[in-house]
Amino acid sequence: MSELSRRNVLKGLAAGVTVVGWSSLDRSWVAAGARDLAGVAVLPPLDGTVETTPEVLAGFAGDFGRLVTGTPTVVLRPGSVQDIVKMVRYARRHRLRIAMNGQSGTAGEFESHSNYGQASAPGGIAIDARGLSTIHAIDATVADVDAGVTWAQLTDAAAVTGRTPPMLTDFLHLSIGGTLSVGGTGGTMQRAGAQVDNVTELQVVTGEGELVTCSPWRHPVLFNAVLAGAGQCAIIVRATVELVPAATHALVFNLFYDDLDTYIADQLVVVGDGRFHYQEGQIVRRPDDSGWRYMMEVAYYYTPPAAPDQVALLAGLSDDRPAAVVTNPTYAEWAHRVDPAAAALKDAGFWDQPHPWLSLFVPASRTAEFIGSVVSQLTPADLGAGLATFFPIKTAKLTRPLLVVPRSESVAFQLSLLRFPFPGHPDIPGMLTQNRAFHDQAVALGGKRYVIGAVPDVTTRDWRRHYGALWPLFKAAKEHYDPDGVLTPGQGIFT
Ligand SMILES: Cc1cc2nc3c(=O)[nH]c(=O)nc-3n(C[C@H](O)[C@H](O)[C@H](O)COP(=O)(O)OP(=O)(O)OC[C@H]3O[C@@H](n4cnc5c(N)ncnc54)[C@H](O)[C@@H]3O)c2cc1C
């Protein structure tokens, strides 16, 4: 060991680091205090820590899906962006896989919100996104945030200045770096696009360990390869996220439909004229539990004394349905609307179960056929205490190429089976098989998957088909920015 390395070891020990480096000989980490450091590649001095205790590793082995396990051998809790630069370079030198883990959630309960090991780094290095959790600045039009900040933290901080991100996920306790790496979809997409469409600049660490600032004007190829790029080309460490003025209230309508065609027709009217700020919907049970029906959920944002005209907002929609259920939360209550349900699911033991989620985009013209088939097969137990969201999006609003949706039509529908199976449900494998079947059926109809969720047995052929004409470009970007293929193995895209 060189004198420099020896000094680094001592510095690391002083900072409480329990691991001194990686032994290429026996491919394992060497703990502080080991006598024989021959062949050990000493870790660079870090501002944060690396940890290897079984308890810490366990927190990064699984994810919200609770379906697959991929235990890392070390967890980096970065104390700075430079820590990530150093560890990616270190990983590259020693052919170790490395992935950022969102570790988002609510007080005391942090995890990756992926479903199928997308954030895992089996045998490699997991990075705890919470190490980068600073909101650096908020002004009238943008926020400058670290990747580990959650949308909840940003939404609450921006509210103080009367601002909000224009597109919020339904559940806010997700990391900004995590959703920007997959897309970030929700109810205001038909106006604002996805979260990846509302970012003006990123600071990233590429797979070569280079810290690069990219935007639509600076390194645009990298910018577009990172947004919704599933962590393949770079790790997002900091983002400039757009903000817009926030209304103080939401007028929310729940409209129920027994008939699928009428539901789709009304959804298309609303997405066409954009009369609401928020537009989602669900497949729900009929009140007598005799089958499925549909619920459009739309919201108009406003600030009193302005008062929305309820009659005008519903004009032209079918009246062959029960009276709308109308609520009037504050914008903050609305933005955090999922929190009480999430708390109840945790209390009732549903959070700790496997979650075979699925999310698909289907061209509008094939949606009735596809959803008709889905509801003919779906049982209440298939969703458990979960839900099935189902609503239209304007494909032209989704401008980032790697958020792949059916672009042959101006409107697509997103179907998400957000399954919370009853504790002890015996047939989780059956749900995964069903996911694969629904996925294949959607793809045959020109549909695409959202790269979250649990789709089993995905092959390179599936990914090629998914990305279509983008595949060679994405592959070239991967080879350019991550030439040793160290980043984010859990996505399984370039295996
Ligand atoms: C309760 C719940 C609600 C959800 N609601 C929505 C929703 O409304 N809309 C929606 O779009 N999705 C939603 N999701 C789905 C989706 O799984 C998450 O958006 C996504 O996984 C982000 O979660 P995370 O921050 O924990 O990141 P992770 O799940 O840990 O990461 C997602 C992927 O990105 C990579 N990654 C993470 N951070 C970075 C980074 N900084 N740089 C590069 N790569 C990175 C990871 O390695 C992984 O491959 C929800 C998931 C759950 C469990």
Side-chain angles (χ1 to χ4, degrees), residues 63-65 99-105 111-115 117-120 129 147-148 167-186 195 226 230-232 234-238 280 338 342 351 355 357 414 418 420 450-453 488 490-491:
D63 55 26
F64 170 81
M100 187 80 124
N101 188 306
Q103 287 288 301
S104 45
E111 60 188 340
S112 158
H113 284 78
S114 293
N115 299 100
Q118 285 93 336
S120 68
M167 221 312 292
L168 293 175
T169 46
D170 296 340
F171 180 65
L172 293 185
H173 305 278
L174 303 170
S175 75
I176 290 176
T179 70
L180 293 185
S181 298
V182 294
T185 67
Q195 289 178 326
V226 171
Q232 295 307 299
I235 292 171
I236 300 169
V237 292
R238 194 161 163 169
E280 287 202 7
V338 174
W351 209 267
H355 302 111
W357 285 18
Q414 184 175 10
L418 310 179
F420 278 90
Y450 186 24
V451 297
I452 66 148
T488 321
Q491 290 282 358

Side-chain angles (χ1 to χ4, degrees), residues 91-461:
R92 196 181 167 206
R93 255 193 321 276
H94 303 292
R95 298 288 194 273
L96 292 163
R97 300 296 191 89
I98 184 164
M100 187 80 124
N101 188 306
Q103 287 288 301
S104 45
T106 49
E109 293 177 300
F110 301 106
E111 60 188 340
S112 158
H113 284 78
S114 293
N115 299 100
Y116 216 49
Q118 285 93 336
S120 68
I125 303 168
I127 306 173
D128 183 348
R130 286 171 300 167
L132 299 177
S133 295
T134 302
I135 297 177
H136 295 277
I138 291 182
D139 70 22
T141 58
V142 289
D144 173 11
V145 293
D146 280 348
V149 171
T150 65
W151 290 99
Q153 290 165 335
L154 175 57
T155 302
D156 294 347
V160 175
T161 64
R163 299 291 188 278
T164 181
M167 221 312 292
L168 293 175
T169 46
D170 296 340
F171 180 65
L172 293 185
H173 305 278
L174 303 170
S175 75
I176 290 176
T179 70
L180 293 185
S181 298
V182 294
T185 67
T188 57
M189 269 192 299
Q190 86 283 6
R191 282 181 174 228
Q195 289 178 326
V196 286
D197 297 297
N198 295 281
V199 179
T200 58
E201 190 174 275
L202 294 173
Q203 204 177 63
V204 305
V205 177
T206 69
E208 290 190 293
E210 298 299 322
L211 181 62
V212 184
T213 299
C214 56
S215 72
W217 304 277
R218 293 171 75 183
H219 305 290
V221 173
L222 179 60
F223 189 66
N224 280 322
V226 171
L227 289 172
Q232 295 307 299
C233 294
I235 292 171
I236 300 169
V237 292
R238 194 161 163 169
T240 307
V241 176
E242 288 184 51
L243 298 177
V244 293
T248 61
H249 288 75
L251 188 67
V252 183
F253 299 85
N254 288 166
L255 311 172
F256 292 88
Y257 298 79
D258 283 333
D259 178 58
L260 175 58
D261 290 333
T262 312
Y263 172 80
I264 290 175
D266 274 6
Q267 285 279 20
L268 290 174
V269 168
V270 171
V271 82
D273 61 26
R275 66 181 78 178
F276 288 102
H277 297 94
Y278 164 100
Q279 179 179 8
E280 287 202 7
Q282 293 177 27
I283 302 171
V284 294
R285 295 301 288 170
R286 292 177 198 229
D288 63 0
D289 200 29
S290 62
W292 299 107
R293 65 174 177 167
Y294 307 91
M295 179 193 73
M296 187 186 328
E297 182 174 64
V298 281
Y300 185 88
Y301 299 158
Y302 70 102
T303 300
D309 179 342
Q310 293 197 27
V311 174
L313 283 171
L314 299 184
L317 302 183
S318 160
D319 46 22
D320 182 20
R321 53 171 171 73
V325 176
V326 185
T327 52
N328 198 191
T330 64
Y331 183 77
E333 289 166 344
W334 174 247
H336 282 276
R337 66 193 175 282
V338 174
D339 291 1
L345 287 165
K346 286 181 183 175
D347 285 349
F350 285 95
W351 209 267
D352 298 324
Q353 301 303 306
H355 302 111
W357 285 18
L358 177 70
S359 189
L360 302 165
F361 301 101
V362 182
S365 67
R366 311 306 294 271
T367 295
E369 177 184 354
F370 178 64
I371 296 295
S373 169
V374 168
V375 296
S376 73
Q377 299 172 62
L378 200 68
T379 67
D382 287 336
L383 290 180
L387 64 163
T389 60
F390 162 43
F391 55 91
I393 51 172
K394 283 184 176 160
T395 54
K397 291 285 181 187
L398 305 175
T399 63
R400 299 293 164 217
L402 292 182
L403 181 48
V404 180
V405 295
R407 293 187 187 273
S408 56
E409 296 187 14
S410 59
V411 177
F413 277 75
Q414 184 175 10
L415 169 73
S416 299
L417 301 182
L418 310 179
R419 307 174 191 258
F420 278 90
F422 292 107
H425 193 291
D427 196 19
I428 302 300
M431 294 182 190
L432 287 169
T433 303
Q434 189 179 57
N435 279 0
R436 179 74 213 197
F438 287 157
H439 166 271
D440 291 351
Q441 192 181 352
V443 169
L445 295 172
K448 297 289 180 183
R449 67 173 292 195
Y450 186 24
V451 297
I452 66 148
V455 180
D457 305 322
V458 173
T459 62
T460 302
R461 193 162 169 270

